[in-house]
Amino acid sequence: MILAKVTGHVVATQKSDELRGSNLLLVTKLDDDQQPMKDQTWVAVDSVGAGMHDIVLAEEYFALNKDRYKAMSVVAIVEKVFRDR
């Protein structure tokens, strides 16, 4: 599971049956200072209604059909992150 920021939307005119009706988002992994990491962006299926600039938890293994393909899924919208320093 990764902490990520929604950085864009993906529009697909044709989707597999499992993805029909799903919203596709671009998510960029965040570093320890919650800054977007270069070259760490994926397309994720939105299952929680996330929007642009939301901080989210994304999970690779919550895929719709792991036997056919791997998919990243947004599984939570993060309100706050607390950590000891």
Side-chain angles (χ1 to χ4, degrees):
M1 191 173 302
I2 64 165
L3 192 61
K5 185 173 191 171
V6 177
T7 55
H9 293 273
V10 176
V11 177
T13 57
Q14 296 293 322
K15 297 180 188 178
S16 66
D17 290 338
E18 294 91 352
L19 292 176
R20 282 205 179 95
S22 297
N23 192 22
L24 302 175
L25 302 174
L26 282 178
V27 296
T28 303
K29 184 176 181 178
L30 299 178
D31 64 16
D32 289 343
D33 295 318
Q34 295 184 34
Q35 297 301 309
M37 298 175 71
K38 185 177 179 178
D39 300 325
Q40 296 289 312
T41 299
W42 296 276
V43 175
V45 178
D46 181 23
S47 59
V48 294
M52 281 295 292
H53 309 295
D54 280 345
I55 304 297
V56 297
L57 288 177
E59 171 64 48
E60 180 179 10
Y61 300 105
F62 198 67
L64 296 172
N65 188 339
K66 288 187 275 188
D67 296 331
R68 290 185 52 196
Y69 55 85
K70 287 187 177 180
M72 180 79 68
S73 294
V74 173
V75 296
I77 299 172
V78 176
E79 294 296 323
K80 292 188 182 204
V81 175
F82 299 94
R83 70 181 288 170
D84 274 341
R85 290 225 181 225

